[in-house]
Amino acid sequence: DPLFHIHLNVDYPFNLTGILYFPKIDNKFEIQKNKIQLYSNQVYVTDSVEGIVPEYLTLLHGVIDSPDIPLNVSRSYLQSDRNVKKISSHITKKVADSLSDIFTNKREDYEKKWDDLKIFIQYGMLTDEKFAERAKSIFLFKNTEGKYFTYEEYENLIKANQTDKDNKVVFLYATDVKEQYTYIETAKGKGYDVLLMDGQLDIAVVSMLEQKFEKVRFTRVDSDIIDNLIVKEDKKNEALEAGKQEVLSSIFKSQLPKMDKTEFNITAQALGENATPIMITQSEYMRRMKEMANIQAGMSFYGEMPDMFNLVLNSDHKLVKEVLADEDKECAAAVAPVQAEMDEVNKQRTDLKKKQEGKKDEDIPTAEKDKVNELDKKWDELKTQKEGIFADYAAKNKVVRQLIDLALLQNGMLKGEALNNFVKRSIDLIK
């Protein structure tokens, strides 16, 4: 059944009759092109309409008949024929006008069919600038509560509460309500509204809208901690001191399971005592580039890059504080001599490098260069030794691995043996 159909009936400045309809298609981009048949006085001409009608219209199905379409000529001739160009322009306008009329007079029906219709509108906006201009007022956003808004309606809804310190209105979105449930609820707890953008062309449309509107930014709800999604004022420095950051990073990094083409950057931030102790986020930019690589030629470089995630530890949370305190008690004696040696090596290395400042490479004695290389190697060895101490401690600390696995589980990243081990450990912890 068609979502909507559009009748064409023109007798000036050219003759044209026909009917086009928007077919309901699967949401996996199972799009069939070349389903518009062109006739001239009821004589079949072609169904290969790309280049004859705008690209997005090749997604529609239907029949067009016009005596002004010449018979038995090449497709390249059709593309350059003046009447064909006029017909193409008219059809574009007619489709946009018909959709606008349905939107204005039957908005409820339009909204009900939007989830199926949007791929046509999006494809048109991405491939035809004139259509994009006509369609911007009938393009709809849907939020996670199932309500629909035009761009202008939605901006007016959120701008009071979702404008950042740079005066940009931040559109938060999710791609899967179930998988990103916790992040969505956290955003709602701040009074934010969240869009649902689960279509195959949504990311491309998001990038297009950001280019068209300078004071707008789209960010997925799981791309950062909630306070960083919409930064409303410059933050005071609440970072954990460097030494403790290093300790936490070594402890938790040592217990992360190995995953193909996946890398983690571990940070600690003060998020408040009642916030979650650990969470995983993914950079909006890198994730979007990888998603665009799946639909846009020339971006395969991003598709080959590993997935980059941030493992964020809440330094205010009781469990993270306990890990730090317990580590200090268990590891201090073993770490102290290693750290003292590292400090001495670092001092020697710094003194040598200062001595070499301003000198050309050929003026530095070979013995000094060798000494610097030797100190660098020694420092790396000591660093590895210190990280080994933290790793041995972390392997015995069930809380560390439990926190990591909870974060992975929440993001659908805990599978196979790691998931089985998590279940066993969970049972042990509650015995």
Side-chain angles (χ1 to χ4, degrees):
D1 291 336
L3 297 171
F4 295 114
H5 62 266
I6 296 169
H7 283 108
L8 303 168
N9 192 2
V10 185
D11 54 22
Y12 183 82
F14 48 82
N15 290 297
L16 174 73
T17 57
I19 184 168
L20 297 174
Y21 72 89
F22 294 87
K24 184 170 182 176
I25 63 170
D26 187 276
N27 204 32
K28 300 298 181 188
F29 226 148
E30 291 178 2
I31 291 176
Q32 294 177 302
K33 293 187 177 184
N34 299 330
K35 289 294 182 179
I36 298 177
Q37 296 181 342
L38 294 182
Y39 287 78
S40 179
N41 273 332
Q42 300 182 29
V43 178
Y44 176 73
V45 179
T46 183
D47 66 357
S48 182
V49 297
E50 288 184 7
I52 300 169
V53 300
E55 187 177 357
Y56 85 97
L57 286 180
T58 62
L59 306 183
L60 304 188
H61 294 190
V63 178
I64 296 171
D65 192 327
S66 172
D68 295 312
I69 294 174
L71 283 167
N72 301 321
V73 292
S74 67
R75 191 164 151 221
S76 60
Y77 178 88
L78 282 172
Q79 290 175 11
S80 61
D81 183 81
R82 185 175 298 175
N83 277 330
V84 172
K85 286 184 176 179
K86 286 180 182 177
I87 289 169
S88 174
S89 179
H90 173 79
I91 293 172
T92 301
K93 184 177 185 301
K94 180 69 174 176
V95 169
D97 289 349
S98 296
L99 289 172
S100 295
D101 183 62
I102 296 167
F103 172 78
T104 302
N105 298 308
K106 299 179 181 178
R107 177 156 176 174
E108 188 176 340
D109 190 29
Y110 186 86
E111 288 182 359
K112 283 179 182 176
K113 296 179 179 179
W114 173 253
D115 290 352
D116 295 307
L117 181 68
K118 77 172 183 177
I119 192 167
F120 299 101
I121 308 293
Q122 289 177 330
Y123 196 53
M125 293 175 75
L126 290 168
T127 57
D128 187 327
E129 251 186 73
K130 287 184 179 177
F131 180 78
E133 189 60 30
R134 292 189 178 115
K136 67 182 182 182
S137 61
I138 60 170
F139 176 83
L140 295 181
F141 290 114
K142 181 171 80 168
N143 70 7
T144 52
E145 295 178 0
K147 296 177 181 177
Y148 294 88
F149 308 87
T150 64
Y151 177 88
E152 188 176 340
E153 289 168 350
Y154 195 71
E155 185 180 36
N156 288 334
L157 174 74
I158 68 170
K159 65 182 178 182
N161 196 33
Q162 292 180 212
T163 299
D164 67 14
K165 64 185 182 69
D166 298 319
N167 205 32
K168 282 194 173 185
V169 181
V170 182
F171 287 57
L172 298 178
Y173 70 94
T175 54
D176 190 304
V177 172
K178 290 182 179 178
E179 286 189 5
Q180 293 148 19
Y181 177 83
T182 302
Y183 299 93
I184 294 168
E185 290 303 303
T186 303
K188 287 181 178 179
K190 282 276 189 179
Y192 300 151
D193 194 82
V194 181
L195 294 172
L196 177 61
M197 307 198 81
D198 57 355
Q200 54 269 50
L201 294 180
D202 281 340
I203 295 303
V205 170
V206 159
S207 298
M208 179 192 73
L209 292 173
E210 286 179 331
Q211 290 174 4
K212 282 184 175 292
F213 303 103
E214 289 183 4
K215 290 295 183 180
V216 166
R217 178 166 58 86
F218 285 77
T219 301
R220 209 167 88 173
V221 286
D222 60 350
S223 63
D224 210 330
I225 61 171
I226 188 65
D227 290 338
N228 289 346
L229 289 177
I230 305 176
V231 180
K232 297 185 178 180
E233 59 185 6
D234 291 323
K235 292 184 175 182
K236 297 174 183 176
N237 187 12
E238 298 175 336
L240 203 62
E241 62 183 78
K244 290 182 178 180
Q245 283 265 13
E246 182 191 0
V247 169
L248 281 176
S249 180
S250 295
I251 287 172
F252 280 84
K253 191 170 187 177
S254 71
Q255 298 306 301
L256 280 165
K258 296 287 184 276
M259 299 183 194
D260 285 344
K261 296 183 71 174
T262 303
E263 294 181 11
F264 289 91
N265 174 50
I266 300 173
T267 61
Q269 297 185 39
L271 306 178
E273 293 179 2
N274 297 321
T276 183
I278 188 170
M279 67 186 299
I280 292 173
T281 64
Q282 187 177 24
S283 157
E284 174 74 16
Y285 174 79
M286 285 305 299
R287 192 198 62 255
R288 197 186 294 188
M289 290 302 101
K290 285 179 73 70
E291 289 173 351
M292 288 292 288
N294 293 329
I295 61 173
Q296 189 169 321
M299 294 187 70
S300 58
F301 166 75
Y302 287 102
E304 294 302 314
M305 292 181 70
D307 289 321
M308 305 290 292
F309 294 96
N310 296 312
L311 188 76
V312 185
L313 299 166
N314 180 6
S315 57
D316 286 335
H317 197 277
K318 176 186 173 185
L319 290 173
V320 177
K321 285 181 175 179
E322 286 177 356
V323 168
L324 265 177
D326 189 52
E327 172 278 323
D328 188 52
K329 183 176 69 175
E330 296 292 328
C331 302
V335 169
V338 179
Q339 186 62 55
E341 198 172 349
M342 286 179 72
D343 293 341
E344 177 58 32
V345 168
N346 202 39
K347 181 180 181 302
Q348 291 179 42
R349 191 169 55 173
T350 303
D351 290 343
L352 266 175
K353 287 182 177 178
K354 277 186 180 178
K355 186 179 175 183
Q356 296 169 357
E357 279 179 7
K359 290 183 180 180
K360 294 180 180 178
D361 187 64
E362 58 267 26
D363 295 334
I364 300 172
T366 302
E368 283 188 17
K369 291 180 183 177
D370 291 343
K371 183 63 176 176
V372 170
N373 289 334
E374 182 186 320
L375 289 169
D376 285 344
K377 186 179 178 182
K378 182 64 176 174
W379 195 88
D380 288 340
E381 289 173 355
L382 290 166
K383 184 172 182 289
T384 300
Q385 186 180 339
K386 186 170 74 167
E387 288 174 347
I389 296 170
F390 293 138
D392 289 342
Y393 161 75
K396 299 170 187 172
N397 189 319
K398 290 184 178 180
V399 173
V400 170
R401 191 57 193 263
Q402 194 75 356
L403 287 174
I404 290 171
D405 286 353
L406 283 169
L408 293 171
L409 185 67
Q410 186 181 17
N411 287 270
M413 300 166 71
L414 192 66
K415 298 173 183 177
E417 184 182 359
L419 178 57
N420 187 55
N421 291 339
F422 168 74
V423 172
K424 288 180 178 177
R425 193 186 320 110
S426 298
I427 293 170
D428 288 342
L429 286 169
I430 60 176
K431 277 181 180 177

